């Protein structure tokens, strides 16, 4: 904890040495400003992203510096600057032969001069840690982030919460295409395993953020951009091995640019793990294929990617006593005798699911100021989870009682499969228009989701008069959505920019059929939302930037909310978000402070209960709030040592929480919102003792949190502090390969016993234990 406090105090340091300013503008071939260009300074490992006006600035000590300027579709440029006094540069870039504009991501991605809290993760940062764990675990050191794993080791089903906000309220896009399941609103990273190997960058926006496509961002969003095409051909072999028999291997290759117009890339991988929890195994396969055509004004890019996952179920967790004595125990698949003693386990108690994504992106550049982007997408998912069930009632499955030797039989042991077969498809159009004083983006999207839910009995001890693959329920959920937005960044003065953004969302959701226990279900709901946002960004000088924003957004209930409510139809939730921040930048110290007030009406919060398939149950809680302060700091001590850290402090409360107890409603006042720790922090110290060798010590702290909005003592999840070590070393080229990168990650080196998630069964807590000390090692050969 002392490390984290020290890192936080660094954000208040001042640099007293006399500094000079390196500033300038980056333009294209026709002198149009290039917003979003990256300008980096090699000697101090610092970079800036230009605003829409193409401008940048650094504050450095007098000396000699190497600037590298890059922009997608343009040739990079290196410039040597001897800065003894303030220096202003005009840097002009020219189109590269392999101009491959990214076509949709700019419509949803925030630029540096937008007044909101954002963190960007580069490809290099992802590659250093991508040793088989899912995306949430690659992001666990970001501000306000809490991650968890059903299997305990970051492989298989994993989850992420940001500012205490559940994954069901975090908007996730892949190249601007919605990834959240439209019906459940959840994000299942296990369905696209190893997507990080094909990811160019990830941007996390906290708060409402900028408008995007898909389900509304209700406090956070994640935007993933897949790999760009490189000019030169390349190939790589990736492998990793570690604790719990975790094994990952894969291969990747790209053609480079062919005939100045065409490029292709492909990747496949396989990841297996036994899991930290008993039988919580994972067998994951993934693929990624892309093809691109480009010319001077047009880009056409087609992608196909997806995966097949088979994971042994581990969503039951363990009770408190078992957590203390046998934390790796797994109830899933247990077979009991008449006295409820476990006598065996069913070996195919698995989740088996395939998901395929297809995207087609087209970009046309009318001129240097106007660009059109069009995308079509289709996602198909199909799979089931299988369970051995004992002593089930015939009536729940539509079986008729039978008489054997004069005895009426109306219960049976059986094996069932609950299926989900779904299609999600739609289109997106965006237009960007750039002027000297403003940047404007128009976006419009329409999509439809068709989800077919059904259950089958594939074996029964007493099958009554049923047929093979007896179907005992079926319902179809259909969700249609149209959303659009207009947003802009307008330059009021040289230092002050105005951000405006207004979005509309119109959607309809219907369900028709029967659900488990032979219960009919018919639902129809139509909703319309308008979500406005406004903010100011002020560039005071080369070291200090300030911003403030106001935003309102709404979000619809999900399928489980409709199905599990006890008070009629659930209400849509409303959020008013106020964000204010300060950014401080010098050649050694980068610091950011963000304050927020998130004011909710009818927020759908996690109740602490789960469904019979492990999905969290949410409920409306009337008025509630999340107040907080987030700080990030990065301090470069010298050429070999760099210290980074972030600290998030928050107060998260329900004004009044009403719940049903013993058949009556009871009100609790001023309780903490479940699963919302008041302190979340991370610290990283990086040491580079020699060239190409990097050592990093990582500290993660998550404060205590309640798993129940009543805040009863038994529902408190204890705080935890864990330490990880990461090492990477890259060799030079030789006659066999271009380079080889060795990575070693030691997780939870002090073998801390902890649970990052759990749920309540009545008043009894259940936990999801996370792995103690474990190791992952990897090798990446670039051929």
């Amino acid at each position: 904890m002392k490390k984290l406090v020290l890192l936080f105090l660094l954000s208040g340091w001042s640099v007293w040495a006399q500094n000079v300013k390196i500033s300038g503008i980056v333009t294209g071939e026709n002198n149009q400003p290039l917003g979003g260009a990256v300008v980096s300074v090699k000697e101090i490992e610092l970079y800036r992203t230009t605003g829409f006006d193409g401008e940048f600035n650094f504050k450095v000590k007098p000396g000699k510096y190497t600037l590298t300027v890059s922009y997608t579709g343009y040739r990079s440029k290196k410039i040597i600057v001897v800065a003894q006094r303030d220096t202003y540069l005009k840097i002009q870039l020219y189109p590269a032969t392999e101009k491959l504009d990214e076509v949709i991501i700019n419509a949803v991605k925030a630029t540096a001069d937008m007044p909101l809290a954002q963190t960007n993760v580069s490809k290099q940062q992802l590659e250093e840690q991508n040793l088989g764990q899912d995306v949430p675990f690659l992001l666990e050191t970001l501000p306000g982030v809490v991650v968890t794993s059903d299997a305990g080791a970051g492989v298989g089903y994993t989850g992420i919460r940001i500012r205490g906000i559940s994954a069901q309220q975090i908007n996730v896009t892949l190249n601007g295409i919605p990834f959240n399941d439209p019906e459940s609103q959840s994000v299942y990273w296990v369905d696209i395993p190893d997507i990080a190997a094909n990811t160019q960058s990830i941007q996390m926006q906290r708060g409402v953020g900028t408008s995007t496509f898909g389900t509304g961002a209700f406090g956070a969003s994640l935007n993933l951009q897949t790999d760009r095409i490189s000019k030169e051909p390349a190939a790589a072999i990736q492998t990793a091995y570690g604790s719990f028999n975790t094994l990952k291997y894969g291969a990747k290759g790209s053609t480079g640019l062919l005939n100045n117009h065409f490029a292709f890339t492909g990747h496949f991988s396989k990841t297996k793990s036994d899991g930290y929890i008993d039988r919580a195994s994972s067998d994951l396969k993934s693929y990624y294929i892309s093809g691109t055509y480009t010319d001077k004004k047009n880009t056409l890019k087609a992608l196909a990617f997806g995966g097949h996952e088979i994971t042994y179920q581990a969503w039951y967790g363990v009770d408190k006593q078992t957590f203390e004595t046998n934390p790796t125990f797994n109830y899933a698949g247990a077979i009991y005798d008449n006295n409820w003693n476990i006598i065996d386990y069913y070996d195919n108690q698995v989740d088996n699911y395939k998901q395929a994504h297809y995207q087609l992106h087209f970009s046309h550049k009318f001129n240097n100021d106007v660009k059109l982007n069009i995308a079509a997408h289709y996602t198909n998912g199909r799979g089931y989870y299988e369970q051995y069930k004992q002593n089930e009632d015939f009536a729940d499955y539509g079986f008729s009682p039978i008489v054997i030797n004069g005895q009426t039989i109306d219960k049976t042991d059986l094996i069932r499969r609950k299926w989900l077969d779904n299609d999600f498809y739609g289109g997106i159009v965006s237009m960007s228009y750039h002027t000297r004083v403003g940047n404007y983006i128009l976006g419009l999207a329409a999509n439809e989701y068709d989800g077919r839910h059904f259950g089958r009995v594939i074996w029964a001890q007493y099958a009554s008069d049923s047929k093979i693959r007896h179907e005992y329920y079926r319902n179809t959920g259909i969700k249609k959505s149209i959303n659009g937005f207009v947003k802009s960044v307008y330059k009021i003065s040289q230092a002050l920019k105005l951000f405006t953004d207004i979005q509309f969302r119109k959607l309809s959701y219907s369900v028709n059929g029967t659900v488990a226990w032979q219960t009919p279900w018919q639902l129809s709901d139509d909703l319309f939302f308008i979500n406005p946002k406004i903010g100011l960004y002020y560039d005071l000088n080369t070291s200090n930037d300030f911003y403030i924003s106001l935003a309102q957004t709404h979000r619809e209930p999900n399928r489980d909310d409709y199905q599990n409510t006890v008070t009629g139809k659930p209400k849509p939730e409303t959020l008013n978000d106020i964000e204010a921040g300060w950014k401080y930048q010098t050649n050694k110290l980068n610091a950011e402070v963000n304050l927020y007030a998130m004011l909710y009406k009818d927020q759908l919060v996690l109740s602490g209960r789960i469904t019979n398939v492990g999905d969290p149950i949410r409920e409306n809680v009337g008025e509630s709030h999340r107040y907080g302060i987030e700080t990030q700091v990065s301090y470069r001590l010298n050429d070999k040592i760099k210290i980074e850290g972030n600290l998030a402090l928050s107060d998260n409360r329900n004004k009044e929480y009403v719940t049903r107890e013993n058949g009556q409603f009871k009100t609790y006042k001023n309780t903490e919102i479940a699963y919302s720790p008041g302190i979340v922090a991370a610290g990283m110290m990086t040491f580079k003792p020699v060239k190409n060798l990097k050592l990093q010590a990582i500290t993660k702290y998550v404060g205590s949190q309640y798993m129940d909005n009543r805040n009863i003592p038994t529902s408190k999840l204890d705080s935890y502090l864990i330490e990880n070590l990461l090492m990477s070393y890259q060799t030079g080229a030789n006659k066999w390969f271009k380079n080889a990168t060795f990575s070693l990650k030691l997780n939870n080196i002090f073998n801390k016993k902890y649970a990052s998630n759990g749920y309540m069964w009545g008043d009894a807590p259940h936990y999801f234990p996370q792995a103690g000390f474990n190791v992952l090692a990897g090798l990446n050969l670039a051929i």
Side-chain angles (χ1 to χ4, degrees), residues 638-666:
N638 52 43
D639 292 339
K640 296 183 181 296
I641 299 176
K642 184 178 182 181
I643 301 172
E644 302 170 271
N646 57 72
L647 175 64
L649 305 174
S650 62
D651 178 72
N652 315 282
R653 293 191 177 273
N654 304 301
K655 183 177 180 180
E656 289 186 344
Y657 173 65
V658 181
T659 187
R660 183 183 295 232
E661 294 182 9
N662 300 318
Q664 295 183 339
F665 288 104
K666 186 174 181 180

Side-chain angles (χ1 to χ4, degrees), residues 305-321:
F305 58 92
H308 182 194
E309 60 90 3
I310 302 177
T311 56
Y312 198 96
Q313 294 165 19
W315 59 54
Y316 294 104
V318 294
D319 58 55
K320 185 174 183 179
Q321 181 178 354

Side-chain angles (χ1 to χ4, degrees), residues 39-80:
V39 184
S40 61
V41 182
K42 177 182 177 182
E43 288 75 12
I44 58 176
E45 297 183 353
L46 198 63
Y47 75 91
R48 299 280 189 271
T49 302
T50 62
F52 78 87
D53 52 10
E55 295 186 350
F56 68 92
N57 61 68
F58 297 90
K59 196 171 184 180
V60 299
K61 292 180 179 179
K64 183 178 180 181
Y65 297 95
T66 304
L67 272 64
T68 300
V69 185
S70 60
Y71 186 77
T72 303
Y74 286 76
R75 290 195 296 270
S76 297
K77 180 176 286 189
K78 284 190 177 181
I79 301 170
I80 304 298

Side-chain angles (χ1 to χ4, degrees), residues 355-376:
Q355 192 171 82
H357 296 255
Y358 304 95
Q359 298 181 1
L360 183 65
H361 297 273
F362 173 73
S363 175
H364 176 71
K365 180 179 177 182
F366 291 97
N367 53 49
N368 292 322
D369 298 323
V370 182
K371 292 182 182 178
L372 172 68
N373 302 310
I374 301 174

Side-chain angles (χ1 to χ4, degrees), residues 5-244:
V5 174
L6 176 61
L7 293 174
F8 179 62
L9 291 176
L10 283 173
S11 64
W13 287 11
S14 296
V15 178
W16 297 101
Q18 183 65 42
N19 292 323
V20 297
K21 180 170 68 172
I22 300 176
S23 60
I25 184 172
V26 179
T27 64
E29 71 273 30
N30 295 319
N31 292 315
Q32 80 278 12
L34 295 179
V38 177
V39 184
S40 61
V41 182
K42 177 182 177 182
E43 288 75 12
I44 58 176
E45 297 183 353
L46 198 63
Y47 75 91
R48 299 280 189 271
T49 302
T50 62
F52 78 87
D53 52 10
E55 295 186 350
F56 68 92
N57 61 68
F58 297 90
K59 196 171 184 180
V60 299
K61 292 180 179 179
K64 183 178 180 181
Y65 297 95
T66 304
L67 272 64
T68 300
V69 185
S70 60
Y71 186 77
T72 303
Y74 286 76
R75 290 195 296 270
S76 297
K77 180 176 286 189
K78 284 190 177 181
I79 301 170
I80 304 298
V81 179
V82 180
Q84 299 301 329
R85 61 183 63 86
D86 289 354
T87 303
Y88 187 84
L89 304 170
K90 292 183 178 180
I91 303 171
Q92 190 172 33
L93 301 182
Y94 293 92
T97 305
E98 71 282 11
K99 189 169 182 178
L100 300 172
D101 290 326
E102 294 304 318
V103 290
I104 284 293
I105 191 68
N106 290 331
V108 301
K109 194 173 182 179
T111 56
D113 50 7
M114 288 185 178
L116 50 90
Q118 57 177 289
T119 304
N120 295 286
V121 181
S122 68
K123 186 170 185 65
Q124 180 182 350
Q125 291 171 304
L126 293 171
E127 287 178 339
E128 289 173 350
Q129 298 193 66
N130 186 18
L131 301 174
Q133 293 179 308
D134 288 345
V135 167
F137 277 73
L138 306 184
L139 305 178
E140 66 175 332
T141 58
L142 271 58
V145 166
V146 178
V147 301
T148 190
S149 167
D150 282 7
V155 182
Y157 273 90
T158 59
I160 184 171
R161 292 196 293 273
I162 303 172
R163 289 185 177 177
I165 297 158
S166 72
Q168 295 165 310
Q169 294 163 307
I170 299 171
N171 173 277
V172 180
T173 56
L174 302 172
N175 299 323
I177 305 298
F179 178 54
N180 300 68
D181 177 84
E183 198 172 29
S184 71
Q185 300 178 10
S186 295
V187 178
Y188 300 106
W189 298 102
V190 71
D191 292 340
I192 49 171
D194 204 25
I195 188 64
N198 301 291
T199 298
Q200 187 72 33
S201 64
I202 299 177
Q203 182 180 80
M204 181 180 79
Q205 299 177 25
R206 303 184 302 281
V208 171
T210 182
S211 288
T212 184
F213 300 114
T215 53
F218 209 72
S221 62
L222 293 170
N223 306 312
L224 281 72
Q225 180 181 6
T226 57
D227 281 342
R228 299 189 181 107
I229 300 296
S230 61
K231 179 181 177 181
E232 300 298 329
I237 298 173
Q238 306 148 341
T239 184
Y241 184 75
S243 301
F244 319 119

Side-chain angles (χ1 to χ4, degrees), residues 98 101 113 154 161 257 351 483 533 653 702 768 772-773:
E98 71 282 11
D101 290 326
D113 50 7
R161 292 196 293 273
L257 199 65
D351 186 84
N483 74 346
K533 311 169 186 70
R653 293 191 177 273
V702 176
F768 291 97
F773 174 69

